[in-house]
Structure formats: structure tokens, C-alpha cells
Amino acid sequence: MLKPEILDPQGQAVQRALPRLGFEGISDVRQGKRFELEVDGPVDEAALARIHDLAESFLANTVIEDFTVRVEEAAEVAGAVK
């Protein structure tokens, strides 16, 4: 996500459009990007540390962006053969 002090013209454009589309009560919109990484093996503290380093050095521009690393269990593929 862009840091709060960085202007977000895309988020502002979305915010201005929402009332015209019938969505009221949204006071702010910030746009961002998301990366999903699938990890081989267990996600232990060492794996999380490597992923954090990857995000900080390669995926995020830390001058203007904040980032968060979180773990989610993979969802089953819809319609998968059992």
C-alpha cells in the first residue's frame, strides 16, 4: 500500500465515483497491490523472515509503500477430483 503521506490519485478517483454508483458512506479509498506467494514446505519463522526480506528488497518500493506479510491456508481448487 502507498504510505499515507503519498498522494493516491487512483484511490481518489474511485472515491469520487462511488456516490455516482450508489455507494454511500465511504470516507476514503487507497489503492494498492497484492502478491500471493505459494511456498513449498512449512511456513516457519525462517521462511517468514525470507519472505519479509524478499518483500522489503524486491516486491515493495519502501520509499513510498508499506507492506504486510501474512500467511493464509491455500483454498481447495473448486471442482478438484478427489
Side-chain angles (χ1 to χ4, degrees):
M1 295 296 299
L2 291 171
K3 291 184 176 185
E5 61 271 15
I6 303 298
L7 293 177
D8 183 0
Q10 185 176 359
Q12 291 171 349
V14 169
Q15 181 182 356
R16 286 190 305 270
L18 290 176
R20 292 191 307 269
L21 298 171
F23 296 98
E24 300 293 336
I26 306 297
S27 60
D28 192 25
V29 176
R30 302 287 290 173
Q31 69 89 27
K33 62 185 175 184
R34 175 178 166 164
F35 293 95
E36 293 183 2
L37 307 174
E38 191 169 318
V39 178
D40 293 331
V43 181
D44 56 14
E45 291 299 319
L48 280 174
R50 288 193 317 270
I51 293 167
H52 188 275
D53 290 344
L54 167 72
E56 186 172 40
S57 63
F58 183 66
L59 300 177
N61 177 350
T62 57
V63 173
I64 63 169
E65 296 172 325
D66 291 323
F67 68 92
T68 301
V69 175
R70 71 175 187 217
V71 177
E72 293 181 1
E73 294 297 320
E76 285 189 44
V77 177
V81 177
K82 293 183 181 182

